[in-house]
Amino acid sequence: MVSSGFKSRPVYFLLALSFLIASCEKKWKKPTDVSFGFQLNSNSGSGLIKFTSGYILLDRIDFDGERKQGSNNVDFSKDYDPNVQIDLSTINLSSGIAFDIPQGTYTRIDLNVRTEEQQNSMPNLVIYGTYINTINDTLAVQFEFNSGESFEITAQSSSGGNEIVLIEDQPSTTKIVFNPKYWFDVVPQSMLDSANITIVNGVQTIIVSENDNQDIYQLAADRIRDGNQVIIN
């Protein structure tokens, strides 16, 4: 009898261990409500061009994260058809986009924000700003990006680290921050002063696009994937 009872202990242990593992797996599947906001970098008004606002037509978001807990990485995608127009400014964070993301300690989160080339040739990213030239004229600036693009960004915490903790019942905010100042930092003032000017709604405007001021456009477009951030609070 003693021998039989002793032999049953490993069975009870395995059952308890299985229950514990199942409970842990269930726990780490519980989600955190994460809202997604889009904005311009706070430094956007400090360059030669003072960028103030704009919009992006969002086509798709890809999320790929590595957790310390759980058996698998967390990854998902969301398509937006029709595309969602999201306003951009240095303070705007109200996109209305949110996801339930499994809680845990993430050692890496990669986010891919995608735009799609529009069939009507309309831009899918527009940034507005102003430029004061060397003779003190104030000109509007309108940067238009038409091509489909993937903004691949590794997220950081609000403290600047790559480790991000999401906790059940504690909502978080993901800020996707575009940096047009960085894109245009390579554009010299002489090029802006000699740019072609278009009258838009009665306002002198430097349009920077595939068809207008192409030299400026090429310099900025070559840097559009860089200088951007994802910050998770």
Coordinates of all heavy atoms in Angstrom, one line a residue, residues 3 38 42 51 61 104 107 118 135 139 192 199 212-213 224 227-228:
S3 N 3.9 1.5 -1.0 CA 4.6 1.5 -2.3 C 3.7 2.1 -3.4 O 4.1 2.9 -4.2 CB 5.1 0.1 -2.7 OG 5.6 0.1 -4.0
F38 N -1.0 58.9 -33.7 CA -0.1 59.3 -34.8 C 0.2 60.8 -34.6 O -0.8 61.6 -34.4 CB -0.6 59.0 -36.2 CG -0.8 57.6 -36.5 CD1 -1.9 56.9 -35.9 CD2 0.0 56.9 -37.4 CE1 -2.1 55.5 -36.2 CE2 -0.2 55.6 -37.7 CZ -1.2 54.9 -37.0
S42 N 7.9 66.5 -32.0 CA 7.8 67.8 -31.3 C 8.9 68.8 -31.9 O 8.7 70.0 -31.7 CB 8.0 67.7 -29.8 OG 9.2 67.1 -29.5
F51 N 7.2 72.7 -39.8 CA 6.1 71.8 -40.1 C 5.1 71.8 -39.0 O 5.4 71.7 -37.8 CB 6.6 70.3 -40.3 CG 7.5 70.2 -41.5 CD1 8.9 70.1 -41.4 CD2 6.9 70.1 -42.8 CE1 9.7 70.0 -42.5 CE2 7.7 70.0 -43.9 CZ 9.1 70.0 -43.7
I61 N -1.3 47.9 -40.6 CA -0.4 47.9 -39.5 C 0.0 46.4 -39.2 O -0.8 45.5 -39.1 CB -1.0 48.5 -38.2 CG1 -1.2 50.0 -38.4 CG2 -0.2 48.2 -37.0 CD1 -1.9 50.6 -37.2
G104 N 2.4 41.1 -21.0 CA 3.7 40.5 -20.8 C 4.8 41.5 -20.8 O 4.6 42.6 -21.1
T107 N 10.6 42.0 -25.0 CA 12.0 42.4 -25.2 C 12.2 43.1 -26.5 O 13.2 43.8 -26.7 CB 12.9 41.2 -25.1 OG1 12.5 40.2 -26.1 CG2 12.8 40.6 -23.7
Q118 N -2.2 55.3 -54.2 CA -3.6 55.5 -54.5 C -3.9 55.4 -56.0 O -3.1 55.9 -56.8 CB -4.1 56.9 -54.0 CG -3.9 57.1 -52.5 CD -4.6 56.1 -51.6 OE1 -5.8 56.0 -51.7 NE2 -3.9 55.4 -50.8
I135 N 14.6 86.8 -48.1 CA 14.1 88.2 -48.2 C 12.9 88.4 -47.4 O 12.1 89.3 -47.6 CB 13.8 88.6 -49.7 CG1 12.8 87.6 -50.3 CG2 15.1 88.6 -50.5 CD1 12.3 88.0 -51.7
L139 N 6.4 81.7 -47.0 CA 5.8 80.8 -48.0 C 5.3 79.5 -47.3 O 5.9 79.0 -46.4 CB 6.9 80.4 -49.0 CG 7.7 81.5 -49.7 CD1 8.8 81.0 -50.5 CD2 6.7 82.4 -50.6
L192 N 15.8 75.9 -51.2 CA 14.4 76.3 -50.9 C 14.2 77.7 -51.5 O 13.1 78.0 -52.0 CB 14.3 76.4 -49.4 CG 14.2 75.0 -48.7 CD1 14.3 75.2 -47.1 CD2 13.0 74.2 -49.1
I199 N 0.7 79.0 -56.7 CA -0.4 79.7 -55.9 C -1.5 78.6 -55.6 O -2.1 78.1 -56.5 CB -1.0 80.9 -56.7 CG1 0.1 81.9 -57.1 CG2 -2.1 81.6 -55.8 CD1 0.9 82.5 -55.9
D212 N 6.7 68.3 -58.6 CA 7.1 69.7 -58.3 C 8.3 69.7 -57.4 O 8.4 69.0 -56.4 CB 5.9 70.4 -57.6 CG 4.7 70.5 -58.5 OD1 4.7 71.4 -59.3 OD2 3.8 69.6 -58.3
N213 N 9.3 70.6 -57.8 CA 10.5 70.7 -57.0 C 11.1 69.3 -56.7 O 11.3 68.9 -55.5 CB 10.2 71.5 -55.7 CG 9.9 72.9 -56.0 OD1 10.6 73.7 -56.6 ND2 8.6 73.3 -55.6
I224 N 12.7 59.3 -45.7 CA 11.4 59.3 -45.1 C 11.2 58.0 -44.2 O 10.4 58.0 -43.3 CB 10.3 59.3 -46.2 CG1 9.0 59.7 -45.7 CG2 10.2 57.9 -47.0 CD1 7.9 59.9 -46.7
G227 N 14.4 58.3 -38.9 CA 14.1 59.4 -38.0 C 12.8 59.3 -37.3 O 12.4 60.2 -36.5
N228 N 12.0 58.3 -37.6 CA 10.7 58.1 -37.0 C 10.7 57.3 -35.8 O 11.7 56.5 -35.6 CB 9.7 57.6 -38.0 CG 9.8 58.3 -39.4 OD1 9.6 59.5 -39.4 ND2 10.1 57.6 -40.4

